Amino acid sequence: MKILLTGANGYIGKRLLPELLRQGHEVVCCVRDKTRLGLDATTLNRVSTWEVDFLDDVDFKKCPEGIDISYFLIHSMSSSTSSFDKMEAIAAKNFNKYSNHMNIKQVIYLSGIVNDPNLSKHMLSRNNVEKILSSGVPKLTVLKAGIIVGSGSSSFEIIRDLCEKLPLMITPKWVLTKTQPIAIRDVIQFLIGVQNKKECFNESFDIGGPNVITYKQMMQLYAKTRQIKLAIWTIPVMTPKLSSYWLYFVTSTSYKLAMNLVDSMKVEVICSDNRLQKILNIKTISYVDAIKLAFEKIEQNLVISSWKDSLSSSEFKNNFSNYIQVPNFGCLKDSKKIKITDSEQVIENIWSIGGDKGWYYGNWMWKLRGFIDKLFGGVGLRRGRTSPTHLDNGDSLDFWRVLLADKEGKRLLLFAEMRVPGEAWLEFRIDENNILHQIATFRPKGILGRVYWYSMIPFHFFIFDGMIKNIANSK
């Protein structure tokens, strides 16, 4: 079958794509910016791409043809605290226009469980999207999942951050809310299983794992599985706003996502039936087993996707590609270069920068800058990186975003997502004469931007000079 995969470079999309190809389907990857699809050359040759933003006006000129099934995996929860529901509604309406035009036979939509009468804004939006999609021509199959547990999932990474960093927690009362977590591999099984199944047409199904537990129990089971000590005290006085700040400062999540997650965590997320498990004959795995499987991937550096790498979690207000051409006019630069002898080793050093490896010089200063960034509402350093050695266009890298990761061309280009009064790029490039170039570019906004740059010059002198020397000489 020919399948349209929206959100192909998102957390679920990246996990679903290899399974679809393994089944022999022809896949059209639907993305806003194809430069950051992040596929290896072999996979890229097996798929086609459709570059479209469902928030823009509909244009049928470049629509793919002959689509049998489409997966709708679009959401905007991490991009806004106030208007994500409007954005999701616009995307769903425009998607309907495209799917009706393309005569798609079945649309499979991954949503969230909505059985509690007191729904969060997040879940009300998901419910509204379902209603919009159901008004389209294709047969609609809706899968409503609980908390998704897997390496790189936002829920798993938040629990991991909390448990690994805080042996003693004073928590808000929403940690006593019940939920029904489901392993990412089970979600993929369900998404694959409902393809072209007539008994699943125009139906909505809850999907969850075998355990109904509270968020507190989720953290306790995580700690027990990881063999770490954890004590949790719950207090009733922590407001949603304070809870959001608590998550934001302790974990790698953004404040926008923290706000929306806290709003959702006050509502029970429990399956009302298990019909689909019986229809597809799927036996879901336990929460503890899901944790163990996640760490198998992490320890083998096989994490396929992470929530923080999605474009919706980035600070980009315009098209991703607009930033790849580093400007010169009106910019301030710090340029350094050094002769190298082993370009392959230096490339590996560059591709390992950030995360646990650090920035090769003055790591305490980078951490301090990350802490200050968090205080001003930025992303900070806690995002780290998905893989310790591999980078794709669009990946998050501490408080940077990878614009271009061209290993063959020996060039890495980063764009700053920290809070700065301007725009900042950091480039590493090895030329044909085996000279490593390290260029920091800053385009200031007004006087404040220039004051910021010049006040940072003493720090730049030590940091950038030490960084290029250590990158060039580290083994």
Side-chain angles (χ1 to χ4, degrees):
M1 289 186 292
K2 191 171 184 179
I3 295 177
L4 178 68
L5 180 61
T6 68
N9 48 13
Y11 178 72
I12 300 292
K14 279 189 173 182
R15 307 281 174 132
L16 185 57
L17 178 57
E19 296 302 321
L20 294 175
L21 293 176
R22 197 171 289 122
Q23 287 190 333
H25 297 300
E26 182 183 352
V27 181
V28 179
C29 292
C30 182
V31 291
R32 281 188 287 172
D33 192 328
K34 62 184 179 183
T35 62
R36 61 170 303 270
L37 192 51
L39 300 177
D40 59 81
T42 303
T43 305
L44 200 57
N45 289 332
R46 296 179 62 191
V47 303
S48 54
T49 58
W50 179 29
E51 198 172 40
V52 60
D53 189 338
F54 289 107
L55 295 176
D56 293 339
D57 293 335
V58 172
D59 183 359
F60 296 128
K61 292 178 183 177
K62 296 181 180 180
C63 279
E65 298 178 351
I67 300 294
D68 298 300
I69 294 175
S70 176
Y71 285 94
F72 189 80
L73 304 175
I74 298 170
H75 66 86
S76 304
M77 188 173 73
S78 59
S79 60
S80 170
T81 59
S82 58
S83 61
F84 71 87
D85 53 339
K86 295 177 183 177
M87 296 165 66
E88 289 185 343
I90 292 170
K93 289 174 183 176
N94 287 338
F95 174 82
N96 260 7
K97 294 175 184 178
Y98 282 115
S99 60
N100 293 345
H101 175 78
M102 291 186 284
N103 295 315
I104 294 174
K105 299 177 181 64
Q106 182 189 18
V107 171
I108 301 169
Y109 170 44
L110 180 62
S111 182
I113 295 174
V114 289
N115 296 324
D116 193 302
N118 303 310
L119 295 180
S120 65
K121 184 178 179 180
H122 165 221
M123 295 319 304
L124 282 171
S125 178
R126 293 292 175 93
N127 230 7
N128 185 46
V129 168
E130 179 182 346
K131 291 176 182 177
I132 294 170
L133 295 177
S134 65
S135 67
V137 173
K139 306 295 183 184
L140 178 65
T141 302
V142 182
L143 303 184
K144 298 179 178 180
I147 297 294
I148 297 176
V149 181
S151 55
S153 74
S154 58
S155 305
F156 173 79
E157 294 300 337
I158 287 172
I159 289 173
R160 182 185 176 192
D161 273 351
L162 290 172
C163 296
E164 300 280 354
K165 295 172 182 175
L166 296 177
L168 170 62
M169 283 190 232
I170 299 174
T171 60
K173 62 182 179 181
W174 53 253
V175 298
L176 302 178
T177 304
K178 290 182 179 178
T179 186
Q180 193 167 350
I182 181 171
I184 179 61
R185 64 171 55 194
D186 288 334
V187 174
I188 299 301
Q189 277 197 80
F190 282 118
L191 286 168
I192 295 288
V194 297
Q195 290 176 4
N196 212 26
K197 271 208 176 303
K198 292 183 179 179
E199 58 264 57
C200 297
F201 289 171
N202 297 323
E203 288 283 352
S204 177
F205 303 97
D206 291 349
I207 58 173
N211 307 115
V212 176
I213 51 180
T214 65
Y215 291 104
K216 181 177 180 178
Q217 289 171 322
M218 286 181 70
M219 290 187 283
Q220 289 171 332
L221 286 170
Y222 177 95
K224 184 178 180 181
T225 304
R226 295 288 293 158
Q227 298 181 336
I228 56 179
K229 292 183 178 180
L230 177 65
I232 302 175
W233 279 273
T234 304
I235 58 174
V237 295
M238 196 177 287
T239 66
K241 193 165 188 177
L242 283 175
S243 296
S244 302
Y245 281 121
W246 178 69
L247 273 185
Y248 168 64
F249 280 110
V250 174
T251 74
S252 59
T253 187
S254 66
Y255 181 70
K256 296 172 186 176
L257 184 57
M259 278 284 288
N260 293 324
L261 284 173
V262 167
D263 192 35
S264 298
M265 285 172 174
K266 295 179 290 183
V267 179
E268 287 196 347
V269 181
I270 302 173
C271 296
S272 61
D273 69 79
N274 295 308
R275 288 179 299 145
L276 194 56
Q277 288 191 38
K278 296 175 183 177
I279 293 172
L280 302 181
N281 194 27
I282 292 174
K283 184 178 180 181
T284 56
I285 65 175
S286 71
Y287 171 64
V288 169
D289 285 338
I291 293 173
K292 292 177 180 177
L293 288 170
F295 272 97
E296 282 182 16
K297 297 292 184 183
I298 292 168
E299 288 163 2
Q300 297 174 50
N301 296 330
L302 296 175
V303 180
I304 298 173
S305 60
S306 173
W307 70 272
K308 60 183 177 287
D309 292 334
S310 67
L311 203 57
S312 62
S313 69
S314 74
E315 296 296 313
F316 286 103
K317 303 296 185 293
N318 301 307
N319 193 299
F320 179 84
S321 303
N322 293 346
Y323 296 86
I324 292 180
Q325 186 62 47
V326 182
N328 288 308
F329 181 76
C331 292
L332 303 168
K333 291 180 181 284
D334 183 289
S335 299
K336 300 191 183 302
K337 58 184 179 180
I338 188 171
K339 181 73 174 179
I340 60 175
T341 55
D342 188 347
S343 62
E344 288 187 8
Q345 179 61 53
V346 172
I347 282 292
E348 293 305 316
N349 292 343
I350 293 170
W351 252 249
S352 302
I353 202 166
D356 293 337
K357 181 77 173 181
W359 290 82
Y360 289 95
Y361 185 85
N363 281 328
W364 70 270
M365 287 187 277
W366 288 93
K367 290 176 181 177
L368 177 61
R369 182 64 181 88
F371 176 74
I372 294 171
D373 193 51
K374 275 278 187 179
L375 291 179
F376 284 88
V379 295
L381 283 182
R382 285 202 178 99
R383 290 192 309 183
R385 48 183 293 162
T386 300
S387 167
T389 55
H390 180 76
L391 291 173
D392 280 324
N393 296 349
D395 281 2
S396 62
L397 178 56
D398 290 340
F399 44 50
W400 302 88
R401 181 72 55 169
V402 179
L403 290 178
L404 181 67
D406 182 4
K407 209 166 189 178
E408 189 175 329
K410 301 178 180 180
R411 184 184 180 215
L412 178 67
L413 179 63
L414 309 176
F415 182 80
E417 290 190 314
M418 68 190 87
R419 291 281 191 254
V420 288
E423 296 169 327
W425 290 258
L426 181 60
E427 180 179 5
F428 300 94
R429 175 174 54 86
I430 300 175
D431 66 20
E432 62 276 5
N433 297 315
N434 256 14
I435 294 175
L436 169 62
H437 297 263
Q438 176 186 281
I439 306 169
T441 302
F442 184 67
R443 182 160 60 185
K445 288 184 179 178
I447 295 297
L448 183 60
R450 292 183 176 274
V451 170
Y452 169 81
W453 174 265
Y454 289 115
S455 67
M456 293 297 291
I457 284 180
F459 299 98
H460 289 169
F461 176 79
F462 292 105
I463 291 173
F464 290 145
D465 187 62
M467 185 164 65
I468 191 172
K469 288 178 180 176
N470 287 339
I471 289 173
N473 297 315
S474 294
K475 297 294 184 182

